[in-house]
Amino acid sequence: MRLNFYLFKSTIVGALGGLLFGFDTAVIAGTTHQLTNIFHLTAGELGFTVSIALWGTVIGAMSAGAIGQKIGSRETLRILALLYVISSVGCAFSWSWTSLLIFRFIGGLGIGGSSVLGPVYIAELSPAKWRGRLVGLFQINIVVGILLAYASNYGIESLSLGALQWRWQLGVAAFPAALFLIMLYGIPRSSRWLVTQNRIDEARSVLQLMGSPDSESELREIIDSIHLERSSKSEPLFQYKYRLPIFLAITIGMFNQLAGINAILYYLNDIFRAGGFSAMSGDLQAVLVGAMNLVATLLAMTVIDKLGRKTLLLIGSVGTAACLVGVAAIFFKRSHQSDLVWLLIGYIFFFAISQGAVIWVYISEVFPTRVRAKGQSLGSSSHWIMNAIISGTFPLLAKYSAGAPFVFFAAMMVLQFFVVLLIYPETKGHTLEEMQHRLGIE
């Protein structure tokens, strides 16, 4: 089967939600200093300004699945794209701190929803042969979005817009968001959702449009799998036999954020400023960090099935811990500030090839089919809630001691190393059914 134009176009449009996801989460890094001065924010209020979007993300991620099942992923993505537009324009024209918080929360709903339904839409359209690579485009787009956010901040900073700078930095996302919304009107509903609504003829037409070599056989497989899912929907997740997969999903989601990744991405410009870099220089260093994030993510996708998930997590634990200790030492000793950018680039490299690449793959592999969706939701919720907590408290810790947060993150990576070494099973090369036996699930 060849990748045809309609499948490629639909995948690209679905993956654009990932680009907006990455852009909207990272663009705040260039505005934190100005927002603090303009709205006279305390460290706690700045943390709340950043984390409010993440609490919106938690709600969006938790509710998107049910809405997507009811009206379809494509239709829900249109609503989420509209939320992106409203949030971007609203942030640009915010008249008070409260209004800024409201519009950032709305943006968070869009981020959370698209983080769930973007990959779902792509997976539901993709043939098995292409599914891994096509869904992987969503993760790549997140990283591209982060890089574009840093590049956008650098470009707008160079225009010397004064007090309007933060408005442009937050508002510029309205343009790709509007493009995303428009393009969503040029792609089909997913064949799988159409089958759940008993719209079989439409589902067959979509499969043919996507270039399926045997649409009747694939349609029958979809119908059978949905019948199987419906028969097992009542299976509860929180049972003793699922204790290990539950532990793995919760801890990998928590460790992903206890590494400090999003706190660093959100406050990257403040970190560089604390290290003695100018605003312009800090924006440029952020672009370098974002570029390494993209390169390392692409590298990880080529080695994850060769080296294995557990191996990558162990390598990442050691590498990120070492880099974080170096960053902490710079702030404690107030020397070698020029090494800060290289340590953070090294940190991003080790994170992207380990936690960044492994988390969503690993969570999807440790649960049996009958509770996989619930397990993924649990792991995702653990990730987003911990993200919101850490991002909200980071400014308070950094105000107390610039180096203290990095010591904490490094300690968590040391803890992760031993938890992964002693408890985490390797999932590389094992079928999902084999994994159930290895995890003691009958």
Side-chain angles (χ1 to χ4, degrees), residues 12 52 54 65 95 99 104 124-125 179 183 192-193 210 244 264 272 300-301 317 326 330 338-339 398 420:
I12 292 298
I52 187 69
L54 301 170
W95 55 92
S99 63
R104 277 190 54 73
E124 289 181 346
L125 280 182
L179 178 64
M183 292 180 71
R192 201 172 190 284
W193 181 81
M210 294 297 111
L244 182 54
I264 290 173
F272 282 125
M301 291 195 165
S317 298
I330 287 174
S338 60
D339 293 333
V420 171

Side-chain angles (χ1 to χ4, degrees), residues 21 37 45-46 55 62 76 102 110 157 165 169 179 183 245 287 322 332 342 399 429 435:
F21 171 175
N37 292 334
E45 289 169 339
L46 176 61
W55 291 113
M62 288 181 171
T76 310
I102 291 171
E157 172 80 31
Q165 179 181 303
Q169 287 175 323
L179 178 64
M183 292 180 71
V287 173
F332 283 128
W342 301 112
K399 184 178 180 181
M435 282 307 304

Side-chain angles (χ1 to χ4, degrees), residues 212-245:
S212 174
D214 188 351
S215 57
E216 287 300 327
S217 175
E218 192 170 343
L219 182 62
R220 175 51 53 189
E221 286 181 6
I222 293 173
I223 292 172
D224 290 344
S225 70
I226 287 173
H227 284 320
L228 181 63
E229 285 178 15
R230 284 173 174 168
S231 66
S232 62
K233 235 178 188 179
S234 59
E235 175 84 7
L237 173 63
F238 291 99
Q239 300 183 63
Y240 183 76
K241 64 180 178 180
Y242 296 139
R243 63 194 182 282
L244 182 54

Side-chain angles (χ1 to χ4, degrees), residues 173-201:
F175 296 105
L179 178 64
F180 180 44
L181 178 60
I182 293 168
M183 292 180 71
L184 281 167
Y185 283 88
I187 59 175
R189 291 182 181 275
S190 86
S191 52
R192 201 172 190 284
W193 181 81
L194 289 168
V195 170
T196 66
Q197 305 300 305
N198 294 317
R199 294 157 66 170
I200 306 301
D201 290 338

Side-chain angles (χ1 to χ4, degrees), residues 279-414:
M280 179 68 77
S281 179
D283 279 326
L284 180 58
Q285 314 305 336
V287 173
L288 295 176
V289 170
M292 176 53 77
N293 195 12
L294 175 58
V295 170
T297 299
L298 294 173
L299 173 62
M301 291 195 165
T302 67
V303 300
I304 188 170
D305 287 321
K306 297 175 183 176
L307 296 180
R309 290 62 155 146
K310 182 171 182 173
T311 302
L312 288 178
L313 286 173
L314 292 172
I315 292 171
S317 298
V318 174
T320 52
C323 293
L324 288 164
V325 168
V327 173
I330 287 174
F331 284 117
F332 283 128
K333 295 182 178 180
R334 299 189 179 278
S335 63
H336 297 87
Q337 281 90 344
S338 60
D339 293 333
L340 181 61
V341 63
W342 301 112
L343 285 167
L344 288 175
I345 286 175
Y347 165 84
I348 286 292
F349 172 81
F350 283 110
F351 180 88
I353 65 165
S354 59
Q355 281 278 10
V358 169
I359 177 173
W360 307 119
V361 174
Y362 199 79
I363 291 173
S364 69
E365 291 175 327
V366 297
F367 287 99
T369 302
R370 55 188 178 271
V371 293
R372 184 166 296 123
K374 296 173 184 176
Q376 286 181 289
S377 177
L378 176 67
S380 178
S381 298
S382 168
H383 166 273
W384 286 116
I385 291 171
M386 186 58 69
N387 185 355
I389 292 170
I390 291 177
S391 299
T393 56
F394 180 85
L396 293 170
L397 288 172
K399 184 178 180 181
Y400 169 75
S401 169
F406 300 99
V407 172
F408 173 76
F409 296 145
M412 291 299 99
M413 290 301 91
V414 172

